[in-house]
Amino acid sequence: MNTRLQLAEATLHYQGDMQIFTAVSGPVEALRELYLLIYRDDCFRGAGELRLNMPFATGLEPEALLKAVCDALPTLDWTAPFLDILDELHATDIAPAVRGLFDLALHDAIARSNNESVTELLGGRAAQAIDTN
């Protein structure tokens, strides 16, 4: 079994002159997102996401948070079954934001392996559509 991990970064902006503003952070030029993608045997298996530029929530500046992710990746046995990696993850001393990124990707991988949504994996029901504004 071949496992490959990929980190991808994206900077998300509103269109035009709209500005991102949150109650905690105030105005933000853009959202700096980090994605962890898991591949097994050359097939996509799961993804997790972490906003890098939220030191008010993580206690880490973006570059320190990115370094924490890169330092933590090799501490887990990513070739093991996804449930085993999840158990291993929660027994480690990895920073909470990093653990959250890995946790999201692993839950997505487990759900996809079961041919269900993460909502269903966690005991909920997936809706076909949700009305929004």
Side-chain angles (χ1 to χ4, degrees), residues 49-102:
E49 175 272 338
L50 170 65
R51 183 170 155 203
L52 289 173
N53 60 334
M54 58 176 194
F56 56 87
T58 65
L60 295 170
E61 292 297 324
E63 296 312 315
L65 187 51
L66 182 57
K67 182 180 182 328
V69 168
C70 291
D71 289 347
L73 278 171
T75 67
L76 299 172
D77 178 7
W78 292 95
T79 63
F82 295 129
L83 278 171
D84 292 351
I85 303 169
L86 192 61
D87 288 341
E88 180 186 3
L89 172 65
H90 290 287
T92 65
D93 190 24
I94 293 173
V98 176
R99 188 179 312 117
L101 171 67
F102 295 177

Side-chain angles (χ1 to χ4, degrees), residues 3-4 11 29 32 44 70 81-82 89 103 107-109 114 120 128:
T3 301
R4 180 172 60 93
T11 304
E29 181 178 313
R32 188 172 168 196
F44 173 73
C70 291
F82 295 129
L89 172 65
D103 183 273
H107 274 88
D108 188 38
N114 295 338
E120 293 165 325
Q128 290 301 317

Side-chain angles (χ1 to χ4, degrees), residues 110-133:
I110 293 165
R112 289 173 188 272
S113 296
N114 295 338
N115 221 10
E116 62 185 348
S117 69
V118 174
T119 300
E120 293 165 325
L121 174 70
L122 298 176
R125 273 191 13 217
Q128 290 301 317
I130 299 173
D131 292 333
T132 68
N133 62 351

